[in-house]
Amino acid sequence: MLYINDCIEQLDLKAALSAVSEQRRTYALRYRHEHDQRLCVAAYQLLQQALNIEYGISEMPLFDYDSHGKPSLAGHQEIYFNLSHCHEAAACVVSNAPVGIDIESFGRYDEELVETVMNTDEQRIIRQSSNPPLSFIRLWTMKESLVKLTGEGLSKNMQDVLKANGYHFQTTIFPHFVCTVCEYKRE
C-alpha cells in the first residue's frame, strides 16, 4: 500500500523528532538542512502510519540493514517496505513481498543524463514523447524503484536495469512529482 505526504512544510519538525525512534532521529539529524530532516522524518511517519493501518503494529519501527545497506523491519521480516523522498514529498510503500519505491520531482531536462542512464530504446521513447521530461522521470523512477527492491542500489548499470523480467510497475503522476512502485509480478 502506498502512502504519500506532500505537505512537508507543515510538519512540526521538533514535535515530529520527538515522536520517532532514536534510531530515526539520529539518522534525520545527519541531514544538514531542516527541509531534508523534515522529509526523512515524514517518510518514517508514513511507515509508522502504514504499519499501524495495514498490520496493527503501533510500536516505533526499528531497522536492520543488509550488507548493501537496504533496511528491513527488525522483528518483522515478513513485512517489506521502502521509503523515498523528493523536494516536495515523502513516500512509503509496505507489502507482504519485496517492494521498491521512488519519488522524483519534475526538474530540468538534461540530455546528457538521458544518454548516460538510458539505453538506446529508452532514449528513443523519451525523444519521441510529446513530453520528454515526463517520459524521462517516469523511466527513471521505474529504474530506481527496481534497484531499491532488489537492494542493488545505483551501483548497477542503470542502462540495463529495466531489461530484467518479472517486475510490475505502478507509476502515479502528481502535479510536481512522479512516484513509481515496483513489485514482483504475481502469477
Side-chain angles (χ1 to χ4, degrees):
M1 189 61 94
L2 174 64
Y3 293 81
I4 292 182
N5 178 346
D6 60 355
C7 299
I8 301 303
E9 290 305 319
Q10 296 174 12
L11 179 74
D12 179 343
L13 183 59
K14 185 176 180 180
L17 285 169
S18 68
V20 300
S21 71
E22 179 66 32
Q23 181 188 48
R24 192 60 173 189
R25 186 176 318 114
T26 299
Y27 185 81
L29 291 174
R30 289 182 188 162
Y31 286 100
R32 183 179 309 182
H33 301 288
E34 184 176 311
H35 184 76
D36 296 325
Q37 293 171 0
R38 287 174 193 264
L39 289 164
C40 180
V41 171
Y44 182 87
Q45 287 182 325
L46 290 171
L47 177 61
Q48 287 178 295
Q49 178 185 5
L51 292 173
N52 193 350
I53 291 170
E54 305 295 326
Y55 298 95
I57 298 171
S58 58
E59 68 261 12
M60 289 185 202
L62 295 176
F63 302 152
D64 290 327
Y65 295 91
D66 70 12
S67 61
H68 297 286
K70 181 177 175 150
S72 61
L73 289 174
H76 295 283
Q77 300 303 313
E78 74 284 3
I79 302 172
Y80 297 86
F81 77 97
N82 205 229
L83 306 175
S84 185
H85 54 78
C86 63
H87 185 75
E88 292 81 13
C92 170
V93 63
V94 295
S95 178
N96 293 327
V99 64
I101 190 170
D102 187 45
I103 187 169
E104 296 288 339
S105 304
F106 290 114
R108 183 173 56 91
Y109 180 71
D110 184 341
E111 187 64 35
E112 189 175 313
L113 181 60
V114 171
E115 292 176 8
T116 302
V117 300
M118 300 293 169
N119 65 40
T120 305
D121 292 335
E122 293 162 346
Q123 290 177 34
R124 182 179 37 73
I125 290 167
I126 292 167
R127 290 183 182 121
Q128 291 177 353
S129 167
S130 62
N131 188 340
L134 176 58
S135 293
F136 170 77
I137 199 167
R138 185 183 59 79
L139 286 165
W140 177 256
T141 60
M142 289 170 66
K143 289 175 181 255
E144 194 161 335
S145 67
L146 175 57
V147 297
K148 289 177 74 179
L149 179 150
T150 64
E152 295 172 293
L154 297 179
S155 62
K156 188 170 176 80
N157 176 353
M158 294 305 283
Q159 287 189 353
D160 297 331
V161 166
L162 294 180
K163 292 180 179 178
N165 291 322
Y167 299 97
H168 171 74
F169 299 94
Q170 178 63 47
T171 300
T172 307
I173 301 167
F174 294 88
H176 301 289
F177 53 88
V178 173
C179 182
T180 298
V181 173
C182 178
E183 300 174 293
Y184 287 111
K185 283 186 184 173
R186 298 195 176 154
E187 301 294 323

